[in-house]
Amino acid sequence: GNEAVARGLYEAGCSLISSYPGTPSTEITEQAARYDEIYCEWAPNEKVAMEVAFGAALAGKRSACVMKHVGVNVAADPLFTIAYTGINAGLVICVADDPGMHSSQNEQDSRHYAVSAKIPMLEPADSEEARLFAKRAFQLSEEYDTPVFLKLCTRISHSQSLVEEGQREDLPPRPYVKDIAKYVMVPGNARPRHPIVEERTRRLTAYAETTDLNREELGEDTSLGIITSSTCYQYAREVFGEKASILKLGLVNPLPRQKILDFAAKVDRLLVLEELDPVIEEHCRNLGLTVQGKDALPL
């Protein structure tokens, strides 16, 4: 999965990756370093990595930074500001969570950062999606003027599935235009940016209703409908088979509203299958749906 992310970043025309190592994310940068077209570096910490990547994006080159879930704690200061400023060229933040704590000191859920910072988050469920979502993340970043999270987990990062290889996009640098009101977040400039961020979230929520990143797979069995994402999608298919009805979410922030309600109307009972915190489950409950989730499956 990590190698596929690196391939996707390469194909998207990414020019710079600044990261801080941490399992299960480390191999993304290690694999990306094999491509001569990408300048790769280890930064002193995640905050510096994010600021270097943002600097490159500001200068007009697609860039990325890579870290594990606890690394986002270190990078949170620039993260929340960049959410307000937006970007110039695309900026993708790859973060790898660690459900099961195979190599980590805690089991925090990075989706909370996406919600809190009001930044879109994509979540692939296999290696080919990891490659494709990395490329989609850059497109979304530039279309909606925002950094974009690409969230992995240990089971996606450290598993393998077949991928297709595409060609690298050779993109000219976007011209840098000095814009103090957009990029210097003193309160007088930040206040007018907040409504822009909220409008961006509204536009992304509308996008979530129609994008193929969120996929309804209605099977023969509609007695149970499963709403899920990431590696849990693979678990659901393994346990329930091809006849199961699944709503697979690839864009996990912002979450769709009507698409979930429409899926719920087609099934008798709803189960939310997600690792760590009940983020999708609480969203469904806020929509007025009766769902099973953490009452049936452990945190």
Side-chain angles (χ1 to χ4, degrees):
N2 282 347
E3 188 174 355
V5 172
R7 179 69 195 186
L9 297 174
Y10 163 77
E11 290 177 11
C14 181
S15 294
L16 175 141
I17 299 175
S18 183
S19 305
Y20 189 79
T23 309
S25 73
T26 310
E27 298 87 359
I28 295 172
T29 307
E30 288 179 338
Q31 294 294 331
R34 293 167 34 214
Y35 299 107
D36 293 338
E37 296 89 341
I38 308 177
Y39 168 80
C40 292
E41 68 172 24
W42 293 124
N45 58 53
E46 293 87 352
K47 176 181 182 289
V48 173
M50 187 168 292
E51 290 171 336
V52 168
F54 177 56
L58 202 59
K61 288 283 196 176
R62 284 186 170 183
S63 64
C65 60
V66 183
M67 61 198 69
K68 66 185 289 177
H69 58 314
V70 290
V72 187
N73 302 335
V74 182
D77 183 18
L79 171 70
F80 278 74
T81 302
I82 295 166
Y84 267 45
T85 65
I87 45 85
N88 181 19
L91 174 60
V92 175
I93 303 159
C94 303
V95 55
D97 283 12
D98 190 16
M101 286 182 283
H102 302 275
S103 58
S104 303
Q105 63 269 48
N106 72 22
E107 211 170 3
Q108 72 190 51
D109 191 327
S110 293
R111 292 177 295 175
H112 295 296
Y113 272 110
V115 173
S116 186
K118 303 177 191 291
I119 292 175
M121 177 176 271
L122 305 183
E123 194 168 25
D126 58 37
S127 296
E128 176 65 351
E129 281 193 351
R131 180 184 74 90
L132 293 171
F133 283 20
K135 297 166 77 170
R136 289 288 288 275
F138 278 115
Q139 294 165 6
L140 284 174
S141 178
E142 291 172 354
E143 183 178 348
Y144 290 92
D145 189 20
T146 180
V148 175
F149 273 119
L150 181 67
K151 176 183 174 290
L152 299 113
C153 66
T154 304
R155 287 290 176 244
I156 300 300
S157 289
H158 291 170
S159 62
Q160 295 178 323
S161 58
L162 291 172
V163 302
E164 294 182 20
E165 290 192 345
Q167 297 300 309
R168 178 174 168 86
E169 289 182 74
D170 278 317
L171 301 161
R174 290 188 166 208
Y176 168 71
V177 179
K178 185 176 181 179
D179 189 344
I180 291 172
K182 184 177 194 291
Y183 292 118
V184 182
M185 286 299 95
V186 294
N189 291 340
R191 272 190 292 270
R193 293 296 302 174
H194 189 185
I196 294 169
V197 172
E198 299 298 347
E199 176 58 27
R200 181 178 76 203
T201 300
R202 281 191 286 274
R203 288 167 53 220
L204 280 161
T205 302
Y207 172 79
E209 304 289 1
T210 58
T211 178
D212 58 354
L213 293 165
N214 297 327
R215 189 170 74 234
E216 184 182 282
E217 300 178 354
L218 213 61
E220 292 175 31
D221 183 6
T222 56
S223 62
L224 177 66
I226 302 166
I227 303 174
T228 189
S229 68
S230 186
T231 192
C232 291
Y233 168 76
Q234 307 294 354
Y235 301 152
R237 278 281 171 236
E238 186 178 352
V239 171
F240 294 102
E242 290 304 311
K243 293 182 179 180
S245 294
I246 295 178
L247 178 60
K248 181 194 170 296
L249 300 173
L251 178 64
V252 294
N253 189 63
L255 289 164
R257 298 172 60 86
Q258 195 58 47
K259 194 174 190 75
I260 290 173
L261 292 171
D262 291 347
F263 176 72
K266 298 172 186 174
V267 297
D268 301 332
R269 189 162 61 97
L270 275 179
L271 172 70
V272 176
L273 186 63
E274 60 187 324
E275 285 183 314
L276 303 180
D277 295 336
V279 175
I280 300 169
E281 180 184 342
E282 287 174 6
H283 177 74
C284 292
R285 292 192 195 282
N286 288 338
L287 295 177
L289 295 171
T290 301
V291 298
Q292 278 191 288
K294 296 303 177 185
D295 55 337
L297 298 157
L299 284 157

